[in-house]
Amino acid sequence: MKVGLFIPCYIDQFYPQVAIASLELLEKLGCQVAYPFRQTCCGQPMANTGCEQDAVATYHHFVELFHAFDYIVAPSGSCVYHVRKHYDIIEQTEAVKRVRENTLDLSEFLLDVLKVESLDSSFPYKVGLHQSCHGLRGLRLGTGSERVLEKDSKLQALLRLVKGIELVELSRADECCGFGGTFAINEPAISVKMGKDRIADHESKGVEVLTAGDMSCLMHLESIIRRQQKNIKVKHIAEILNGVQP
Amino acid sequence: MNQHAQKAAEFIRNESRTDWHDEALWFIRSKRDKAAHGIPEWEELRELASQVKSHVLSKLDQYLEQFEARAIQNGVQVHWAADAEEHNRIVHSILKRHQVQHLVKSKSMLTEECHLNDYLIERGIEVVDTDLGERIIQLKGEPPSHIVMPAIHLKKEEVGELFHEKLHTEKGATDPKYLTEAARQHLRQKFLTAQAAITGVNFAIAETGGVVVCTNEGNADMGVHLAPVQIHCMGIEKIIPKAEHLGIFTRLLARSATGQPITIYTSHYHRPKTGGAMHVVIVDNGRTAQLGREDFRNSLKCIRCGACMNTCPIYRRSGGHSYGYTVPGPIGSILTPGLDLKKYSGLPFASTLCGSCSDVCPVKINIHEQLYRWRQVIAEQGHLPAAKRQSMKWAGRVLSRPGWYNFFGKIGRWAIRRLPRPFLYNRFNEWGKDRELPEPPRQSFKEWYRENKRL
Ligand code: SF4
């Protein structure tokens, strides 16, 4: 099984520790992981701003680098969702179809492909899980609170495999953090307010470490936590699953 | 900054009020969750509703004609209006014909959309909105901020003050019961003297030629039963094929809107009362244009329950007035660009694309996907601000070229690490006003990988 690791641009540039944790975790679980060195981005920043056409070259670049893999795994539900959902505007060649079908979020790959049932990491902290929207409602990594279906969450299932972890229940289980890509800059007032409200929810439940499947949400939340000098740490779920301590 | 962003920023300046607004609407969303979870087949019901609506939209012309034929058989006078202007003209001519001076109205976002009140008042007709919420904003001279709870943005203290001024209630009174009673007494007089009643329409049944109006206050009935002339104004998309389909929608509507199992009144109007007249005005006003837009056609399935507003984290924190249109929130943001792309080009961007609206919507409109699509149309048609358009062109170039990407990444990280704070945090940095920039690491992952995996 050939696994290609996709590390989204902002993780590459700002959060290498998340990429390292993802790589180590996959290798620990016995995967042969390749990291195509010429990779950049999934193209989402342009497309979400309405400029899909400006993203086409990036889409082609992505497909060229990744089409030969059995699975393309990324620690980011949002980018995975973008590849699967929005690479529909380029010609649907075999390579494009393969890439769209086989690009998975880390949590999907761990549970659905590797069928991971145990992990030997421990994380003895009170953890609050932020359900990133594109993962939750786009990739259906869990049941959103709007839907009348059996409750289910891949991220929670994985976190429960970690020893000593205490997962808290939030008052609003899956409200958006307010990042939204360029939304964060177009509508800064609401974006920040939404972030503050999310943090307050975690804070009121005594959360020590806030986690999520998407580093972009965490980047936004951490930027507010740091400005307001709050005492909450932020860790991507890959780091927790890999046993990285805060 | 676009208009919505500006108005939202103003709204948020009063943070405790924003919190109050957010909580009030979240409370309704929670009630909706509870009610929906009481129906195990909820998701199938949504699917069914969505399919019935798809079917109707695919044969809309036939169903409308069937509806018209049945209604005429029942003794109803049916009118067709291409746009708001014609709608207003038709309503006014009906009123003139019946020599109506005093009019009561209930439950009609369509007449709000057409600005009927102003049109009639200018022509000397007294128009009184009779839903409590609508009456409140009418007295206040404001547009509605929500389609189901038009005065949700006002606190009870403000309503008390308004009623003191307009209805002479006691100064400082805030008890909702007392205030409601005062409004009721005041409205009773209006009901008794009204010569005509106008209502909106929730559903129009092609099979029977009847219209259905769902209310909680019974005011639609009171108006219609007391006044000799009744006028029902409906958008062309309100049609459902048969009476047997109604149950699907009434089960979804009230639960989605307020968390009630059903609205207190579900009124069916089929024919004029003895000695009276019944008119139905069927309005297009941009709807067929939307029907012709394949990517956006589904927006016409909307049953105006307001659930997408209640769930929207942005609506809750910016208020309905920030959208600048009668129908605010997520659904408003996919309807308005079809009416005036330039004017409303900011609205599809007033979203994080979180998708909660699509999942809460009882007729499964893919709202957030349509927001994404409208963004593409807005950029294509040249309605993005030039600076943004250019920056995206550059981003596209950089992100498709690994060499450039690595280079600019390195520079960016270096700049954040080394530049003095005032260079980074200034009025050009919208991110940094209330947020820190990320702390850039010494190495990117790529650099780490090269070093450690010895590529
Ligand atoms: S779009 Fe859906 S959720 Fe929003 S008001 Fe219409 S029916 Fe209700």
Side-chain angles (χ1 to χ4, degrees):
Chain A
M1 181 168 66
K2 285 190 344 196
V3 178
L5 180 65
F6 168 51
I7 296 303
C9 50
Y10 68 99
I11 295 186
D12 172 40
Q13 294 295 333
F14 292 122
Y15 305 99
Q17 71 276 16
V18 174
I20 296 170
S22 308
L23 178 62
E24 282 181 1
L25 183 64
L26 289 169
E27 286 178 342
K28 258 195 250 174
L29 292 166
C31 297
Q32 286 272 357
V33 184
Y35 173 72
F37 205 67
R38 289 168 49 76
Q39 62 179 274
T40 54
C41 168
C42 68
Q44 186 174 190
M46 292 77 84
N48 273 7
T49 311
C51 305
E52 257 181 354
Q53 290 311 324
D54 294 326
V56 166
T58 308
Y59 293 177
H60 285 301
H61 180 65
F62 187 95
V63 172
E64 186 193 311
L65 287 179
F66 283 106
H67 74 274
F69 290 99
D70 296 315
Y71 294 102
I72 301 137
V73 180
S76 167
S78 185
C79 305
V80 169
Y81 175 68
H82 194 75
V83 171
R84 295 223 294 247
K85 173 94 188 160
H86 292 302
Y87 277 33
D88 59 345
I89 60 158
I90 53 175
E91 195 196 329
Q92 298 300 294
T93 58
E94 282 311 308
V96 173
K97 278 194 243 167
R98 264 180 72 85
V99 164
R100 290 181 69 194
E101 272 162 31
N102 299 319
T103 301
L104 300 184
D105 176 59
L106 180 66
S107 65
E108 292 176 303
F109 184 70
L110 295 180
L111 286 173
D112 301 344
V113 180
L114 294 185
K115 316 257 185 232
V116 167
E117 281 172 4
S118 66
L119 289 168
D120 63 359
S121 39
S122 102
F123 198 80
Y125 297 94
K126 249 184 145 170
V127 171
L129 172 64
H130 173 70
Q131 298 270 19
S132 299
C133 302
H134 286 174
L136 182 72
R137 301 192 189 85
L139 298 178
R140 301 289 187 208
L141 300 180
T143 316
S145 56
E146 301 86 2
R147 306 174 84 209
V148 182
L149 298 170
E150 215 173 299
K151 284 265 166 284
D152 177 26
S153 159
K154 287 199 163 58
L155 301 190
Q156 276 175 9
L158 283 167
L159 287 171
R160 285 205 196 92
L161 300 177
V162 176
K163 288 166 211 73
I165 200 166
E166 186 188 337
L167 268 180
V168 306
E169 194 158 315
L170 300 163
S171 340
R172 297 189 189 179
D174 48 26
E175 179 149 297
C176 177
C177 70
F179 174 62
T182 44
F183 176 84
I185 303 165
N186 291 335
E187 295 248 15
I190 296 208
S191 174
V192 168
K193 177 66 179 142
M194 284 165 69
K196 274 165 69 178
D197 290 354
R198 281 295 73 229
I199 294 162
D201 194 355
H202 287 266
E203 217 180 5
S204 73
K205 299 294 186 302
V207 164
E208 294 166 304
V209 179
L210 205 164
T211 191
D214 257 301
M215 201 58 216
S216 50
C217 310
L218 294 176
M219 168 168 79
H220 168 67
L221 292 171
E222 189 181 34
S223 72
I224 299 169
I225 291 173
R226 278 175 50 220
R227 174 63 61 90
Q228 303 199 335
Q229 301 179 335
K230 302 241 178 227
N231 195 20
I232 294 186
K233 294 265 181 305
V234 159
K235 282 260 168 281
H236 188 274
I237 189 168
E239 297 176 271
I240 296 182
L241 299 178
N242 195 38
V244 178
Q245 302 301 305
Chain B
M1 207 184 267
N2 75 51
Q3 234 188 30
H4 180 271
Q6 263 170 27
K7 288 196 179 154
E10 276 163 40
F11 191 85
I12 287 183
R13 213 163 287 144
N14 188 341
E15 191 163 359
S16 62
R17 194 184 175 97
T18 306
D19 289 337
W20 164 80
H21 190 264
D22 168 63
E23 284 293 342
L25 287 148
W26 182 258
F27 176 71
I28 308 202
R29 155 79 209 269
S30 311
K31 274 174 68 185
R32 170 267 172 208
D33 289 354
K34 244 199 181 139
H37 281 273
I39 308 267
E41 71 275 24
W42 183 257
E43 298 301 331
E44 284 107 287
L45 213 51
R46 288 175 70 222
E47 181 57 37
L48 203 57
S50 179
Q51 285 183 16
V52 171
K53 285 281 183 182
S54 290
H55 171 78
V56 169
L57 292 177
S58 72
K59 293 190 169 11
L60 193 53
D61 52 338
Q62 294 169 31
Y63 281 122
L64 280 165
E65 282 177 357
Q66 188 190 355
F67 171 81
E68 181 190 33
R70 293 290 140 79
I72 291 173
Q73 274 170 19
N74 295 342
V76 176
Q77 299 175 55
V78 180
H79 314 259
W80 300 85
D83 52 24
E85 162 73 54
E86 189 174 7
H87 162 265
N88 293 348
R89 227 180 317 122
I90 290 171
V91 173
H92 182 236
S93 72
I94 298 170
L95 297 175
K96 233 163 77 186
R97 198 172 338 135
H98 294 282
Q99 294 169 337
V100 173
Q101 288 301 313
H102 304 281
L103 165 77
V104 285
K105 229 183 79 196
S106 102
K107 261 285 156 324
S108 175
M109 279 299 132
L110 177 66
T111 58
E112 284 289 341
E113 177 188 318
C114 297
H115 302 293
L116 177 68
N117 283 15
D118 291 343
Y119 185 94
L120 294 180
I121 291 165
E122 275 166 28
R123 284 157 184 78
I125 295 173
E126 184 198 41
V127 185
V128 176
D129 277 314
T130 58
D131 297 271
L132 181 57
E134 284 183 19
R135 186 65 185 143
I136 292 170
I137 56 161
Q138 193 186 22
L139 288 173
K140 200 144 199 299
E142 280 183 358
S145 72
H146 188 286
I147 56 173
V148 175
M149 298 161 290
I152 188 75
H153 61 290
L154 295 172
K155 296 191 173 191
K156 58 182 194 291
E157 290 77 15
E158 290 162 308
V159 175
E161 219 167 277
L162 176 72
F163 278 16
H164 171 65
E165 188 193 318
K166 305 275 181 179
L167 308 180
H168 313 296
T169 51
E170 275 168 44
K171 191 160 179 59
T174 60
D175 176 29
K177 240 192 178 145
Y178 167 77
L179 293 175
T180 309
E181 187 52 34
R184 183 172 287 176
Q185 291 307 330
H186 152 79
L187 284 173
R188 184 129 310 175
Q189 218 37 50
K190 303 288 180 191
F191 277 122
L192 289 171
T193 51
Q195 299 148 307
I198 294 186
T199 81
V201 170
N202 289 96
F203 307 100
I205 302 167
E207 178 192 34
T208 66
V211 297
V212 179
V213 182
C214 304
T215 72
N216 273 329
E217 298 167 30
N219 51 322
D221 278 348
M222 179 98 94
V224 167
H225 291 158
L226 287 170
V229 180
Q230 66 192 86
I231 305 171
H232 308 280
C233 303
M234 57 177 267
I236 54 171
E237 81 285 16
K238 294 291 170 190
I239 292 275
I240 59 172
K242 294 182 173 178
E244 71 186 53
H245 298 129
L246 187 60
I248 303 168
F249 294 97
T250 49
R251 289 181 81 196
L252 287 165
L253 176 62
R255 287 184 174 88
S256 298
T258 55
Q260 294 166 271
I262 193 160
T263 45
I264 310 274
Y265 299 87
T266 305
S267 312
H268 301 246
Y269 304 115
H270 282 99
R271 51 186 58 79
K273 54 184 97 53
T274 335
M278 174 169 166
H279 298 262
V280 172
V281 187
I282 303 174
V283 186
D284 183 334
N285 205 29
R287 287 162 175 78
T288 43
Q290 191 81 334
L291 190 65
R293 300 181 183 110
E294 208 181 319
D295 287 344
F296 306 109
R297 177 175 303 156
N298 276 349
S299 62
L300 293 172
K301 293 181 178 179
C302 176
I303 56 171
R304 300 289 191 268
C305 72
C308 57
M309 284 149 224
N310 306 341
T311 202
C312 179
I314 287 135
Y315 173 90
R316 276 189 265 113
R317 290 173 181 82
S318 64
H321 291 156
S322 64
Y323 293 80
Y325 183 66
T326 317
V327 181
I331 178 68
S333 299
I334 58 173
L335 291 174
T336 47
L339 301 173
D340 187 337
L341 190 64
K342 187 164 189 258
K343 179 170 174 199
Y344 297 110
S345 63
L347 291 185
F349 292 92
S351 163
T352 57
L353 305 180
C354 79
S356 182
C357 46
S358 305
D359 276 351
V360 94
C361 176
V363 287
K364 292 181 88 164
I365 301 172
N366 56 338
I367 305 174
H368 72 295
E369 292 173 4
Q370 294 192 30
L371 289 168
Y372 178 91
R373 281 257 67 87
W374 273 122
R375 292 181 183 188
Q376 312 306 325
V377 176
I378 287 161
E380 264 162 39
Q381 311 262 326
H383 297 305
L384 274 190
K388 192 183 282 177
R389 190 72 202 80
Q390 279 311 315
S391 66
M392 288 302 133
K393 272 207 169 28
W394 276 102
R397 284 183 198 134
V398 173
L399 292 173
S400 56
R401 293 175 171 82
W404 293 25
Y405 161 82
N406 293 340
F407 174 74
F408 282 110
K410 211 174 168 79
I411 295 213
R413 277 183 287 126
W414 178 87
I416 300 179
R417 233 179 10 245
R418 290 300 171 81
L419 288 181
R421 229 179 135 82
F423 278 92
L424 295 171
Y425 294 89
N426 52 45
R427 69 195 170 87
F428 300 109
N429 179 357
E430 289 288 1
W431 175 276
K433 229 174 114 232
D434 296 300
R435 286 171 288 212
E436 290 297 300
L437 291 165
E439 287 173 310
R442 195 177 51 82
Q443 277 181 324
S444 69
F445 175 67
K446 251 183 207 178
E447 290 161 356
W448 175 91
Y449 194 83
R450 196 199 293 275
E451 204 174 291
N452 289 272
K453 302 276 167 174
R454 287 181 208 94
L455 272 183

